[in-house]
């Protein structure tokens, strides 16, 4: 199927208000508040204009379990510094473990792994495991405000540990075991955990990867750790089962903004920022987006391919709060081939399949036709090109709703995505999320429609970070988001917002290419270049030149196996870019490289490459421990030296 940008691929059914959770919410607003909205656009406008009424309605519609009621909803809308639901006390874990609509003996966690046999936990078993681990942590002195760290994969133990930690009012942090010890130490030395829970290793496909040396290095570098508990995930043994006790399951009431967990920026430059998320903000945001945008609830089995080092793990973890069972997978999604995850749809009864845009594009390139009955497919991590949308509807299913989601670790959600009331159009994100006042600002700081601009948030959201750990005066936090437009959150993406509220994101604003004053996003380059069978991967950067307003556009190509990047191939790439995009998109030079540098969560590193090519030493341009393939930077350093 060949489609052009903007082609309608799915439309909401006529009875969407009777069949969706957002429809039920609209009926509740009419009945309980006397509010009626003709369409999604009107609902969104209200949600970002009357912030207090909207977020109070989310609290009440979902029946948030609280120990003390809030004094008000929002004491001041200023950013940074907005305080949500002051006076309220609650506990995230208590609200997740309520599991509305899931019976005690029904599955709520279904875990699949390349390291061991599948595990299923019922609602009753999950609560009991959280109770036991909570008691074990408490016996080891963990209390409100302490930090518990998990060097462990996407398995039930990690999930149980997070909920048990939260139930005590302690703060959780996880790193995926593919992170090297240096990356882990850089993160956890900032938060000083009291307890470390670590998996001894894992299998990635058929390859065993032992982590015992990394655990020793991490422990020796963190003097704050009083207890190390091991999960014998690769070799058996370990003392995970000793995290036990007789205490009943209970939940520490904590303030709305009490630290729930710490997530980290990718750490591509400097020390990763320790982003603190609060119990209440994460709970409300995830209730809203999982139920009203992804339409998840009882009878759903919610899957997102993720590791514990990516915010999508935390996103998946909130599924039971809206009544959805969650499906976990740990291992190589491409082993023995790319059909592995699609087969899991049938094995686990998945109704909602979440993954990354690069994975969907890889499946398309491999010619897969999985053909699954799914309610929804979620895509994030990078912009999904129009042909990726077309592949999903042609090869996966015609009746599902595809949600291309964009947001970030900073808010642990998507600012823009989809909703059951919005159509799906090729290459276009359906709309802005409820409660997220997303705007595009031009270079003068003025809002624009239909033009490329900086993605900003001009009203506070409850899931914006409580702050950065250890940032006592808030200076690092302000510098990260509020230094360019005072009082406005600048996210670092380029976005075009249509008249209808739909959105197109064209890459990071700090990696964006500027040719003679015309700003070009990186994602459209990749869409064209990586669709060529001769190209395995690509990276594009733009270098400013003092005497040339066009600067220099450099394209780096990883050729497919057996292919050489010769003049004929360079000419073909140039022709394709000219025909598909514009003459401005033709690179000045095309280089062959062995690999494109990526973070551990798979994101391309345009900005560090740009820095290296302009003379920054490799060790200063990127934190190697945060890279999946740090050796890939050497080629760019050598090129920088050649170019002088």
């Amino acid at each position: 199927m060949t489609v052009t940008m903007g082609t309608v691929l799915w439309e909401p059914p006529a009875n969407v208000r009777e069949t969706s959770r957002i429809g039920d919410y609209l009926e509740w607003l009419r009945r309980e508040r006397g509010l009626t909205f003709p369409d999604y656009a009107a609902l969104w406008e209200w949600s970002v204009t009357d912030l207090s009424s909207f977020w109070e309605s989310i609290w009440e519609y979902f029946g948030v379990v609280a120990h003390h009621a809030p004094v008000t909803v929002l004491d001041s809308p200023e950013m940074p510094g907005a305080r949500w639901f002051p006076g309220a006390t609650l506990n995230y874990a208590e609200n997740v473990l309520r599991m509305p609509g899931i019976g005690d003996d029904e599955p709520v966690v279904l875990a699949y792994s390349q390291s061991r046999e599948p595990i299923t936990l019922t609602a009753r078993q999950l609560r009991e495991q959280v109770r036991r681990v909570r008691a074990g942590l408490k016996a080891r002195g963990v209390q409100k405000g302490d930090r518990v760290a998990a060097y462990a994969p996407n398995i039930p133990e990690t999930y149980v540990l997070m909920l048990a930690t939260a139930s005590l009012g302690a703060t959780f942090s996880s790193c995926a075991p593919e992170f090297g010890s240096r990356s882990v130490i850089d993160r956890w030395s900032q938060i000083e955990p009291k307890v470390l829970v670590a998996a001894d290793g894992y299998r990635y496909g058929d390859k065993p990867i032992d982590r015992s040396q990394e655990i020793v290095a991490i422990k020796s570098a963190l003097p704050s750790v009083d207890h190390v508990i091991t999960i014998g995930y690769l070799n058996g043994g370990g003392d995970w089962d000793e995290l036990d006790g007789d205490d009943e399951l209970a939940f520490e009431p904590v303030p709305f903004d009490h630290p729930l967990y710490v997530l980290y920026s990718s750490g591509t430059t400097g020390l990763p920022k320790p982003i603190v998320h609060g119990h209440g903000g994460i709970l409300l945001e995830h209730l809203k987006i999982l139920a009203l945008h992804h339409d998840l609830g009882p009878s759903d089995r919610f899957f997102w391919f993720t590791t514990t080092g990516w915010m999508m793990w935390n996103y998946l973890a909130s599924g039971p709060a809206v009544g959805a069972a969650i499906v976990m997978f740990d291992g190589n999604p491409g082993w023995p081939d790319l059909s592995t995850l699609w087969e899991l749809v049938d094995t686990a009864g998945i109704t909602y399949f979440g993954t990354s845009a690069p994975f969907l594009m890889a499946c398309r390139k491999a010619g897969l036709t999985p053909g699954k009955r799914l309610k929804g497919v979620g895509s994030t991590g990078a912009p999904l090109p129009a042909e990726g949308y077309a592949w999903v509807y042609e090869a996966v299913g015609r009746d599902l709703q595809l949600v291309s989601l964009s947001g970030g670790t900073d808010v642990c959600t998507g600012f823009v995505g989809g909703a059951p009331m919005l159509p799906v159009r090729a290459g276009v994100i359906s709309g802005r999320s409820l409660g997220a006042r997303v705007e595009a600002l031009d270079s003068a700081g003025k809002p624009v429609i239909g033009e490329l601009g900086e993605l900003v948030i001009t009203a506070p959201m409850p899931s914006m970070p409580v702050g950065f750990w250890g940032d006592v005066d808030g200076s690092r936090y302000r510098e990260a988001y509020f230094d360019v437009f005072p009082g406005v959150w600048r996210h670092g993406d380029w976005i075009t917002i249509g008249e209808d509220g739909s959105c197109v994101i064209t890459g990071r604003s700090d990696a964006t290419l500027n040719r003679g004053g015309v700003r070009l996003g990186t994602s459209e380059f990749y869409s064209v270049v990586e669709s060529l069978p001769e190209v395995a991967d690509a990276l594009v950067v733009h270098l400013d030149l003092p005497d040339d307003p066009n600067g220099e556009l450099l394209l780096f190509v990883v050729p497919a196996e057996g292919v050489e990047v010769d003049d004929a191939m360079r000419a073909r790439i140039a022709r394709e870019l000219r025909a598909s995009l514009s003459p401005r998109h033709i690179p000045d030079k095309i280089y062959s490289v062995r690999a494109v540098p990526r973070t551990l969560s798979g994101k391309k590193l345009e900005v560090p490459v740009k820095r290296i090519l302009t003379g920054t030493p490799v060790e200063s341009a990127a934190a190697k421990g945060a890279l999946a393939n740090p050796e890939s930077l050497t080629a760019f350093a050598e090129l920088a030296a050649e170019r002088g």
Side-chain angles (χ1 to χ4, degrees), residues 127-212:
R127 287 191 192 100
E128 170 58 14
Q129 289 207 13
V130 173
R131 183 203 66 75
R132 287 179 47 215
V133 172
R134 178 185 190 276
L137 290 173
K138 196 175 169 187
R140 285 158 180 78
V142 175
Q143 54 191 351
K144 182 177 174 181
D146 288 335
R147 275 78 65 208
V148 174
Y151 186 54
N154 181 20
I155 55 176
E157 291 91 332
T158 318
Y159 186 50
V160 166
L161 181 69
M162 186 270 283
L163 293 172
T165 300
S167 75
L168 288 164
T171 302
F172 178 80
S173 182
S174 59
C175 284
E178 65 262 27
F179 280 39
S181 57
R182 183 72 257 164
S183 287
V184 177
I185 293 161
D186 282 350
R187 286 159 170 75
W188 288 344
S189 59
Q190 299 182 72
I191 65 166
E192 301 178 322
K194 186 171 193 170
V195 172
L196 167 62
V197 176
D200 62 344
Y202 58 96
R203 284 186 183 277
Y204 193 71
D206 58 353
K207 184 181 177 185
I209 298 169
D210 186 271
R211 276 329 208 190
S212 52

Side-chain angles (χ1 to χ4, degrees), residues 1 8 29 96 111 133 140 152 175 179 233 272 300 312 329 331 389 401 407 508 536 560:
M1 185 196 297
V8 175
L29 286 175
V96 171
V133 172
R140 285 158 180 78
C175 284
F179 280 39
Y233 184 53
D300 279 310
M312 294 310 296
F329 175 84
Y389 281 71
Q401 185 189 4
R508 295 291 293 174

Side-chain angles (χ1 to χ4, degrees), residues 8-85:
V8 175
L9 298 171
W10 180 89
E11 292 197 72
N15 64 345
V16 65
R17 288 188 181 231
E18 288 77 54
T19 57
S20 64
R21 295 202 73 175
I22 196 170
D24 187 74
Y25 169 66
L26 284 164
E27 172 56 25
W28 182 89
L29 286 175
R30 185 198 64 76
R31 190 176 65 246
E32 300 293 328
R33 296 284 188 273
L35 295 169
T36 56
F37 300 98
D39 53 22
Y40 181 84
L43 177 64
W44 178 82
E45 187 62 39
W46 169 72
S47 77
V48 297
T49 306
D50 193 346
L51 294 174
S52 291
S53 295
F54 170 68
W55 288 106
E56 183 182 43
S57 79
I58 295 297
W59 178 291
E60 294 190 9
Y61 174 73
F62 288 102
V64 168
V65 177
H67 295 254
H68 295 94
V71 176
T72 185
V73 176
L74 179 59
D75 67 355
S76 163
E78 289 180 15
M79 294 189 290
R83 273 194 71 222
W84 291 95
F85 295 91

